[in-house]
Structure formats: C-alpha cells, structure tokens
C-alpha cells in the first residue's frame, strides 16, 4: 500500500465552481501535512500547510482528520490559474516527505 | 535570492555513461533531498542528508550515489546510467525543523537512451 494515496482526477470544473478532493495516508505517526501545487513540468511549490483544526488561505481550505487519516483540500470560486496538479504531502517523524501521485484540476472558462 | 539551484536542467545520456547532478542552496538549510518523479508515481525519495558530511538512503537508492561535502551542495551521481533512470529529478532542502515544508529546485530532466 502506498503511504499517501490520492484520487488522480482529473477534476474538470468551470470558473467560479467549488472543487474538493481528498487524500489518505497510512502512517498514523505522521507529523506534518501539506498541500503542494505543481504546474506542468515545473517543481512542486508549497500551497499550504494543514493544521489539525483546519485552516484557510484565501479561497483554499484544508482539513485534517487524524482519526480517519485523511486530508482534504477545497478550492472555492475556482480561477483559470488554479489549473494544476495538487500533491498531498505527509512528513513522518524523520523529516522525510511522502508524496501522493497528485490530483489534476482543470478549470475551464 | 536563488533558493535551490539544480544543474544541469536537461541531459541525455547513453546507457552505461555516468554523470553528476548538482544541487546548491543558499538558505543555510541543514536537510537536503533528492527525489525522482515518474508519471503516475509521485515523487520518490532517492537519498537525503541531514547535515554536512552525512547521507542516507531513501526509498529508491539503487543505482545512485550522493555526497554532501559542503553544507550548501548535495550531489547525485549515476555511475552507470540505465534507461530505467529516465526521469525528472528534483532536489529539495529544508531547515532543521522541517515544519514549513521544503523548497524545491526547478528539476533536471534526464533521458537515458
């Protein structure tokens, strides 16, 4: 079983729509959680950290459920520029990151 | 304000050739990592370093060697390249705490023919 699993999508949504997707992780001792964004053929860039109480950053909302070991990301009022692959990332207690394979989101005009 | 710099950006190797990928960071980060990314696989950790002079194996270390002689540099070597090593390689670094995620280089696209 992969350490981090994501629905690969693609999620194809119109501008202004809300889109949400999850990932699950297998290591219950995981310490930190992140969402990264990766544009085609570019390096991953940190979108936001995910805190236990849930957190927002503008149009993005992240939730963590430790009991069920899943993380979610919700994007409100989608923009064309939100089109990307979103990577769910989990850090163990050894400072190593484990990456999901990514969820592809395409926002259409 | 360079962050993490990887060289080269692109390379084509013949099977059996060797090469070294260089990762340099100017943020005084303790931890450095080499990942490879293949379609549908996500990023997989090859080797990592928790400080100058230290290295450790990651998830997929076979066929690669690394060195961290200086804190700011982390080198990834392929001694005898194989087509299975065709991939995009990313270097990343983080401060010791690692709580704020990693900073990635722009990647090296390697093709082995």
């Amino acid at each position: 079983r992969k350490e981090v699993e994501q629905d690969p999508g693609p999620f194809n949504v119109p501008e202004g729509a809300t889109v949400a997707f999850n990932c699950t992780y297998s290591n219950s001792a995981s310490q930190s959680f992140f969402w990264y964004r990766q544009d085609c053929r570019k390096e991953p860039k940190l979108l936001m950290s995910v805190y236990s109480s849930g957190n927002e950053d503008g149009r993005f909302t992240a939730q963590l459920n430790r009991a069920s070991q899943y993380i979610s990301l919700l994007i409100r009022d989608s923009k064309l520029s939100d089109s990307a692959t979103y990577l769910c990332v989990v850090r163990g207690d050894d400072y190593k990151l484990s990456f999901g394979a990514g969820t592809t989101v395409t926002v259409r005009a | 304000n360079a962050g993490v710099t990887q060289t080269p950006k692109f390379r084509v190797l013949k099977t059996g050739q060797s090469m070294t990928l260089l990762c340099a960071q100017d943020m005084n980060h303790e931890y450095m990592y080499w990942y490879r990314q293949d379609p549908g696989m996500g990023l997989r950790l090859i080797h990592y370093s928790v400080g100058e002079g230290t290295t450790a194996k990651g998830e997929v270390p076979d066929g690669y060697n690394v060195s961290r002689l200086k804190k700011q540099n982390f080198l990834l070597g392929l001694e005898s390249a194989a087509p299975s090593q065709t991939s995009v390689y990313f270097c990343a670094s983080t401060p010791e705490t690692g709580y704020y995620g990693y900073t990635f280089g722009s990647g090296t696209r390697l093709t082995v023919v």
Side-chain angles (χ1 to χ4, degrees), chain A residues 36 38 41 43 91 95, chain B residues 33 37 97 99 102 105 109:
Chain A
Y36 275 72
Q38 187 172 28
R41 303 176 71 81
E43 73 273 23
R91 184 178 72 82
Y95 300 114
Chain B
Y33 305 78
Q37 186 174 35
T97 59
Y99 289 115
Y102 293 7
R109 300 181 190 285

Side-chain angles (χ1 to χ4, degrees), chain A residues 2 31-32 34 36 38 41-44 46 49 87 91 94-101, chain B residues 31 33 35 37 40-43 45 48 90 96-102 104-106 109:
Chain A
K2 292 182 180 179
Q31 299 285 318
S32 304
F34 308 92
Y36 275 72
Q38 187 172 28
R41 303 176 71 81
K42 297 286 185 66
E43 73 273 23
L46 180 64
S49 301
L87 306 177
R91 184 178 72 82
D94 53 4
Y95 300 114
K96 291 186 285 184
L97 296 183
S98 295
F99 289 79
Chain B
Y31 293 7
Y33 305 78
Y35 287 87
Q37 186 174 35
M41 298 287 291
L43 280 83
L45 181 63
Y48 65 102
F90 288 105
E96 187 172 351
T97 59
Y99 289 115
Y100 300 102
Y102 293 7
F104 282 83
S106 59
R109 300 181 190 285

Side-chain angles (χ1 to χ4, degrees), chain A residues 11-20 78-80 83 105-109:
Chain A
F11 289 81
N12 191 329
V13 300
E15 271 189 295
T18 296
V19 59
S78 299
K79 312 292 185 189
L80 294 175
S83 297
V105 173
T106 301
V107 182
R108 63 182 188 275

Side-chain angles (χ1 to χ4, degrees), chain A residues 6-79:
Chain A
Q6 292 183 247
D7 180 346
F11 289 81
N12 191 329
V13 300
E15 271 189 295
T18 296
V19 59
F21 41 89
N22 299 331
C23 86
T24 58
Y25 61 95
S26 60
N27 184 0
S28 60
S30 297
Q31 299 285 318
S32 304
F33 309 89
F34 308 92
W35 283 103
Y36 275 72
R37 171 193 169 122
Q38 187 172 28
D39 294 294
C40 186
R41 303 176 71 81
K42 297 286 185 66
E43 73 273 23
K45 292 186 177 179
L46 180 64
L47 178 67
M48 59 193 300
S49 301
V50 186
Y51 303 123
S52 297
S53 56
N55 50 295
E56 280 189 14
D57 184 357
R59 297 180 293 106
F60 298 85
T61 301
Q63 296 282 348
L64 168 64
N65 185 319
R66 283 190 181 269
S68 300
Q69 295 181 205
Y70 79 81
I71 308 155
S72 65
L73 182 67
L74 181 146
I75 307 173
R76 288 187 302 277
D77 188 23
S78 299
K79 312 292 185 189

